[in-house]
Amino acid sequence: MCSTQVESAPKTERLFFALWPSDAVRQALRRHCKALLRHSGGRPVAPENWHITLAFLGTVEATQRACAEQVAAGIHLPPFALRLDHVGHWARPQVLWIGASDTPDTLRSLADRLAQGSRDCGLALDKRPFVNHLTLKRKVDRPPAKLDIKPVDWAVTDFVLVRSRTLPEGVQYTVVNRWPLT
Ligand code: ATP
Ligand code: MG
């Protein structure tokens, strides 16, 4: 009898930490951004995919994921209020986004701690500083004429770890873990 053992490569996932809007916040965003979304061209991000990235981990092995999850579990920060009141356009990546013109200190701390902790787990994160933003559309080559919207108030009570998969029909995000802010 003969058997062949094939060494399988370690299983990896594409992961990022994010703020994940509740259904109510998603609906408010849809309502308040209706005109903006209608008149700005480009390719809309599906509303169920809307999020604010806190730290993008990239391709991660199981042990690195466990390490990053320990970092997340060790963060003790209070809930905070986020007012999405600012529409922005980045010309180079051609992204239309909405964000909070005032970044709460707690949000900055959360993003910084996740990034630093994940680096300590051996992950190579982007060095660019955190900019709070929720991407509404891609491939928007010029800013829309009218950039003002009615602000959306979001009571942030938790943060999540998301798995990103690229499927033929588009990107699919799955929330794989969640930590409360208390
Ligand atoms: P696709 O890459 O298929 O167009 P996507 O950009 O939405 O879709 P991901 O590339 O998995 O999906 O990115 C997930 C989130 O992390 C997005 O909000 C994306 O903007 C952000 N992101 C991706 N790469 C980086 C990076 N190097 N630094 C910071 N954030 C990133
Ligand atoms: Mg991407």
Side-chain angles (χ1 to χ4, degrees), residues 19 75-83 103-110 113 154-159 179-182:
L19 299 183
I75 292 176
H76 300 289
L77 287 169
F80 57 90
L82 198 59
R83 167 162 278 220
T103 302
D105 289 343
T106 308
L107 172 55
R108 194 167 293 287
S109 283
L110 177 60
R113 288 201 212 174
W154 178 1
V156 180
T157 56
D158 58 13
F159 64 99
W179 294 268
L181 297 167
T182 51

Side-chain angles (χ1 to χ4, degrees), residues 14-17 43 45 49 51-58 95 124-128 133 135 138 162-167 170-173:
R14 187 176 173 86
L15 296 175
F16 62 98
F17 286 110
R43 186 161 55 82
V45 173
N49 280 349
H51 65 275
I52 292 180
T53 301
L54 296 167
F56 179 76
L57 306 185
V95 162
L125 272 73
D126 203 294
K127 289 196 180 62
R128 282 176 295 181
H133 72 284
T135 299
R138 298 175 189 278
V162 185
R163 181 194 299 135
S164 166
R165 283 201 188 111
T166 305
L167 304 177
V171 70
Q172 181 195 61
Y173 297 142

